[in-house]
Amino acid sequence: MGMEPGCRPFSPVESVPEFILGLGMVTPVNDLRGSDSIAYEKGEKLLRCKLAAFYRLADLFGWSQLIYNHITVRVNSEQEHFLIVPFGLLYSEVTASSLVKINIQGDVVDRGSTNLGVNQAGFTLHSAIYAARPDIKCVVHIHTPAGAAVSAMKCGLLPLSPEALSLGEVAYHDYHGILVDDEEKVLIQKNLGPKSKVLILRNHGLVSVGESVEEAFYYIHNLVVACEIQVRTLASAGGPDNLVLLDPGKYKVKPRCHESPEGEGSASHPKWQTGEQEFEALMRMLDNLGYRTGYPYRCPALREKSKKFSDVEIPASVTGYSFASDGDSGTCSPLRHSFQKQQREKTRWLNSGRGDDASEEGQNGGSPKSKTKVWTNITHDHVKPLLQSLSSGVCVPSCITNCLVCAYLTVHS
C-alpha cells in the first residue's frame, strides 16, 4: 500500500523544506581568520566552532524556535566564562565569531562580531545548572512540539524505546513561569541532582547537559526522538493501557564498543566518548554541504588509495592509437584508412626512440622485437643527385641541406 498524500516517513529534519537543504548559499560556521582568534583563550576557537555548528544542526533538525532558547558552553572553569548566542540571531545565522562571551552573572565579556545583546532571563537556567554542576561543560534548552507534549503528560517520558532507555535517570521540574527567581534556581539544582543528564521542564520544554558538546548533543537528540516516538505511539495505540513498556532495570545501557580495524596499514581508531562519533559524522555532513565547520576530525572517514602506477611510467607505445579494424570483414573505409595512416606517422616518431631498447631486450634473452630503421646504408650514389640539385640552383630547405651535409660527411668519413 502506498502512503497517503502529504504523509512522509519520520525524520528529524522533516520540518525543514527540502529546497533549503539543497541550497548552496551557506554562511560558513568557522569565520575566524588570521588574527581574529589571537585574543581568545586556549581552546576557545574550537569551542566556538563546535557550538556554532551545534546551532546549525539544531536548525536543520527543526529544534529551533525563531530567536528563542539557548545552547551554551563553558569556556573556562577558573574564570567561569561561557559562550551564548546573541539575542536576535536565528540559529541558521550563528557563526563562531558571532557568539558572545559572558560570565556566570550574565555580564558581557566579549560581544563578538555583532551589536546584539544577551537574553539575561534565558541564561538564568544555564547559570543555575553550571553553578551546581562543575562537571557540566554544555547545556542545551530547546522547545519542540513533541517535547512540550511529553512535558505536559502526567506519566512523563515512558520507557517505550531504546532512545528513552539511553537517557538514564530523567529529572523533572514544574513550571513556575519565566525563570528569574533565585529561589527557583535552587529548586532546579535540587531537581536535576548530581548525576542526571536530562531535565524535562513541565509544560515547557527539554534540557540536556553534558561533559562535552558532543555528549550534550547525544542526550538531546535521543530525548527528542524518544518524545517523538511516545507522542506517535500514544496517538496510534489509543491510550497508555495498550502500550508495551520496557523495564529499565533489565535493559541497562551497555558500555560503548570500540572498533578494532584489521588489515595492513590500518591505524587504531580513537577511543570514542559518548556522542563523539555521532557528532563527528554530522560535522562531515555539514562540511560536505559547504558549512566549513572547522571541526578537527579524529578519524578520517576515507582512506587514501595507494598509487601503484604513474602516468609518466606508461610508454608512448601503450598510449598510442590502435589500428586494428573494428569489423569482422576486415574492410576499412577510405576515411578511416586516411586517419589511421596519419596516426601511424605521428606515433612512429614516438615509438622510434625505444628501438634500441627493444633490440637490446631481444639480445638479452627477452622476446625479440623489430628494430627501428636507422639511416646507416647511405652511399655516395644517394647523396650525389641531391648535391647536383643544389648546384643547379634548386631551392632546398635549410633543414634538408644540413642533413645532406651531415650525410655527405658520414659517407666520406
Side-chain angles (χ1 to χ4, degrees), residues 34 84 111 183 186 197 277 306 319 373 379 390 400:
I84 189 172
R111 188 173 298 277
E183 295 181 0
V186 176
K197 296 296 179 69
Q277 198 167 10
S306 59
T319 59
K373 293 182 180 180
T379 63
L390 289 174
I400 297 179

Side-chain angles (χ1 to χ4, degrees), residues 38 54 308 350:
I38 294 179
F54 197 159
K308 296 182 179 180
L350 295 174

Side-chain angles (χ1 to χ4, degrees), residues 42-351:
K42 182 179 180 180
E44 182 177 342
K45 178 180 178 180
L46 177 58
L47 286 176
R48 283 179 172 270
C49 292
K50 283 186 179 182
L51 183 58
F54 197 159
Y55 274 103
R56 300 297 187 90
L57 286 177
D59 180 66
L60 290 176
F61 288 156
W63 300 345
S64 60
Q65 190 180 31
L66 298 178
I67 61 175
Y68 304 102
N69 307 323
H70 301 87
I71 307 171
T72 60
V73 64
R74 190 199 301 263
V75 179
N76 192 320
S77 57
E78 297 178 357
Q79 298 178 343
E80 291 294 348
H81 288 169
F82 309 89
L83 294 176
I84 189 172
V85 63
F87 189 60
L89 278 189
L90 296 172
Y91 281 19
S92 59
E93 299 177 296
V94 180
T95 64
S97 66
S98 66
L99 295 171
V100 182
K101 186 193 298 186
I102 57 179
N103 57 22
I104 192 67
Q105 289 79 26
D107 301 325
V108 176
V109 177
D110 184 352
R111 188 173 298 277
S113 60
T114 71
N115 295 322
L116 302 175
V118 175
N119 185 1
Q120 294 283 352
F123 184 67
T124 304
L125 170 66
H126 297 249
S127 62
I129 295 175
Y130 284 125
R133 297 280 296 272
D135 60 311
I136 297 304
K137 298 297 186 297
C138 183
V139 177
V140 184
H141 176 214
I142 61 174
H143 300 166
T144 63
V150 172
S151 69
M153 298 179 183
K154 290 184 178 181
C155 60
L157 184 66
L158 299 175
L160 294 173
S161 61
E163 287 79 8
L165 295 180
S166 68
L167 302 175
E169 182 180 355
V170 179
Y172 295 88
H173 176 73
D174 293 334
Y175 185 70
H176 297 277
I178 299 177
L179 181 58
V180 291
D181 191 357
D182 291 338
E183 295 181 0
E184 189 176 356
K185 292 174 61 175
V186 176
L187 187 59
I188 289 177
Q189 296 171 350
K190 179 180 178 181
N191 291 333
L192 180 62
K195 296 182 179 181
S196 295
K197 296 296 179 69
V198 171
L199 174 66
I200 295 180
L201 304 176
R202 293 285 190 183
N203 306 93
H204 188 180
L206 308 176
V207 176
S208 75
V209 299
E211 298 179 9
S212 64
V213 174
E214 293 86 348
E215 185 180 30
F217 171 82
Y218 173 83
Y219 281 109
I220 197 64
H221 179 270
N222 283 1
L223 179 58
V224 170
V225 173
C227 291
E228 287 278 359
I229 293 174
Q230 179 167 326
V231 169
R232 298 190 180 200
T233 303
L234 288 173
S236 59
D241 296 336
N242 297 327
L243 301 179
V244 177
L245 302 181
L246 301 176
D247 183 6
K250 182 178 180 181
Y251 301 97
K252 294 184 178 179
V253 180
K254 297 181 180 180
R256 297 177 60 85
C257 298
H258 307 302
E259 275 190 77
S260 55
E262 298 178 356
E264 296 182 1
S266 59
S268 58
H269 283 203
K271 293 183 178 180
W272 300 103
Q273 301 299 324
T274 303
E276 288 182 344
Q277 198 167 10
E278 295 84 351
F279 194 82
E280 180 163 316
L282 290 171
M283 292 301 101
R284 285 198 305 270
M285 179 194 74
L286 291 182
D287 283 329
N288 291 334
L289 292 174
Y291 281 78
R292 284 162 43 189
T293 62
Y295 187 81
Y297 295 100
R298 299 178 60 192
C299 184
L302 300 178
R303 293 172 52 194
E304 294 184 0
K305 295 183 178 179
S306 59
K307 190 175 182 181
K308 296 182 179 180
F309 301 101
S310 174
D311 294 339
V312 181
E313 298 172 352
I314 302 176
S317 59
V318 177
T319 59
Y321 288 90
S322 175
F323 307 116
S325 177
D326 296 335
D328 296 333
S329 60
T331 59
C332 184
S333 64
L335 182 61
R336 179 183 293 274
H337 178 75
S338 175
F339 175 75
Q340 291 179 352
K341 184 177 180 181
Q342 294 176 4
Q343 296 303 323
R344 289 192 190 96
E345 293 297 326
K346 293 180 180 179
T347 57
R348 182 170 64 86
W349 297 101
L350 295 174
N351 299 332

